[in-house]
Amino acid sequence: MATRFALIIEPTASDDARSDFSATFRQVDASAPALSVGELSTQRGDGIFESIGVVDAHPQEVDAHLERFVRSAEICDLPVPNVEQWRQAIDAAAVLCGAGEWVVKTILSRGIEHGPTPTAWVTAADAADFSRPRRDGISVVTLDRGFDLNTPARAPWLLLGAKTLSYAVNMASLREAHRRGADDAVFVSSDGFVLEAPTASVILRRGDVFVTPEPTGGILHGTTQLSAFAWLDEQGYQTAYRDVRADELRGAQAGWLVSSVRLAAPIRRVDEAAMPVDHELTDALNAYLLSPRD
Ligand code: PLP
């Protein structure tokens, strides 16, 4: 993924009610330096972001992404984003994207140390080609996330429900999965429950019910999982949020990692055990996820 476009945004107060925010964005050369060396995003990973899938210049599920962006800001004590300003910035970046699949990122950092304001920007990059994992599936290994289901309530300063810029742990888990010969990882809590993948939500099929772990603070509430559940409901399937034991992952009839840009990647192996892949359902779900959605 190469970043093609970038817009620097002057963040405005969340109650700024103007109708046109275009004067608050400025396009910069995406290949040139744009951030100060004092930036807390680069020094401490202190900030939040969203990755929004864009298909043929249409940004997908913007409302759900902005809701999560606001929730992340609240959890991190960052100034609450002006939703309308960010919506217009996302639209401005999406129109720069050509045909095909792209990713627009919104980033809000605490800014420069002792500086007056947060730093905010949006980038647009062409998406990697995910046709193979969507079609052939992926192998996953379970990895201990090192906290139990009650940790987020007990220690909110761990910011577990926020999509922060600190993804070093998520990337380290992916490297560990690769070292173990798998494509991806599924985090399991120390008390034995399925959480999420380093960059995706987990959906399992148990009989006719599609289940996903309850997003009670330890994991992100995935926008793709929300869309997938809406589609499954429309198809007449039952969907449920609940605590999912790790042994239910290994014994599921089918499973998927779902996220905004890769979309639905069927799981074909968990640790040493093969998992059946429902190609027909996966293709139909991905066709839906690629259709324009608000
Ligand atoms: N969980 C984590 C840790 C993620 O990083 C992501 C996406 O990046 C998701 C879940 C899935 O979220 P979404 O479907 O909104 O992309």
Side-chain angles (χ1 to χ4, degrees):
M1 287 194 279
T3 301
R4 307 273 178 195
F5 308 104
L7 303 175
I8 300 283
I9 298 170
E10 282 166 42
T12 59
S14 60
D15 59 356
D16 184 331
R18 79 183 93 166
S19 57
D20 180 0
F21 285 95
S22 52
T24 66
F25 327 138
R26 101 190 125 79
Q27 192 172 342
V28 294
D29 179 350
S31 62
L35 295 179
S36 155
V37 288
E39 248 302 313
L40 291 171
S41 53
T42 50
Q43 288 189 17
R44 294 188 178 148
D46 194 353
I48 57 170
F49 78 107
E50 285 294 320
S51 290
I52 300 165
V54 177
V55 182
D56 295 336
H58 183 276
Q60 305 281 58
E61 296 149 343
V62 172
D63 286 346
H65 279 288
L66 285 173
E67 259 176 50
R68 190 170 62 191
F69 198 48
V70 166
R71 201 159 53 244
S72 296
E74 286 166 352
I75 294 172
C76 294
D77 300 317
L78 283 162
V80 176
N82 183 311
V83 168
E84 184 52 31
Q85 182 189 27
W86 283 94
R87 188 189 312 283
Q88 291 182 21
I90 293 163
D91 286 344
V95 295
L96 298 169
C97 302
E101 294 179 49
W102 290 67
V103 53
V104 162
K105 284 193 185 187
T106 61
I107 301 158
L108 177 66
S109 111
R110 205 169 298 280
I112 296 166
E113 195 152 25
H114 312 301
T117 55
T119 313
W121 69 102
V122 169
T123 61
D126 34 7
D129 178 5
F130 288 114
S131 49
R132 220 168 143 176
R134 286 175 198 161
R135 187 187 62 230
D136 299 343
I138 53 171
S139 57
V140 300
V141 285
T142 49
L143 293 182
D144 184 355
R145 186 74 174 85
F147 60 75
D148 62 47
L149 279 195
N150 292 322
T151 305
R154 219 171 44 237
W157 47 87
L158 296 180
L159 310 177
L160 292 168
K163 193 166 167 71
T164 74
L165 292 170
S166 316
Y167 259 51
V169 167
N170 306 47
M171 297 301 108
S173 322
L174 275 180
R175 290 195 299 277
E176 180 60 23
H178 297 162
R179 269 194 291 274
R180 296 185 189 194
D183 299 312
D184 213 317
V186 170
F187 289 132
V188 173
S189 66
S190 52
D191 47 352
F193 292 93
V194 175
L195 294 170
E196 62 186 348
T199 64
S201 314
V202 178
I203 298 178
L204 299 179
R205 181 173 191 167
R206 307 271 316 164
D208 273 341
V209 187
F210 291 76
V211 297
T212 197
E214 191 125 33
T216 48
I219 62 174
L220 299 184
H221 196 175
T223 61
T224 319
Q225 174 269 310
L226 276 167
S227 281
F229 268 28
W231 180 80
L232 289 164
D233 288 339
E234 266 173 37
Q235 309 305 304
Y237 293 107
Q238 266 178 272
T239 54
Y241 291 93
R242 64 168 171 82
D243 294 343
V244 179
R245 292 189 323 274
D247 60 304
E248 294 187 86
L249 168 63
R250 293 177 196 112
Q253 278 90 338
W256 295 265
L257 296 191
V258 299
S259 55
S260 295
V261 185
R262 185 170 51 177
L263 304 181
I267 301 174
R268 58 176 165 70
R269 176 167 290 279
V270 179
D271 297 327
E272 295 310 312
M275 184 179 272
V277 171
D278 186 336
H279 290 287
E280 207 179 313
L281 186 77
T282 304
D283 290 349
L285 174 57
N286 276 323
Y288 169 73
L289 293 173
L290 282 166
S291 65
R293 279 165 305 110
D294 291 323

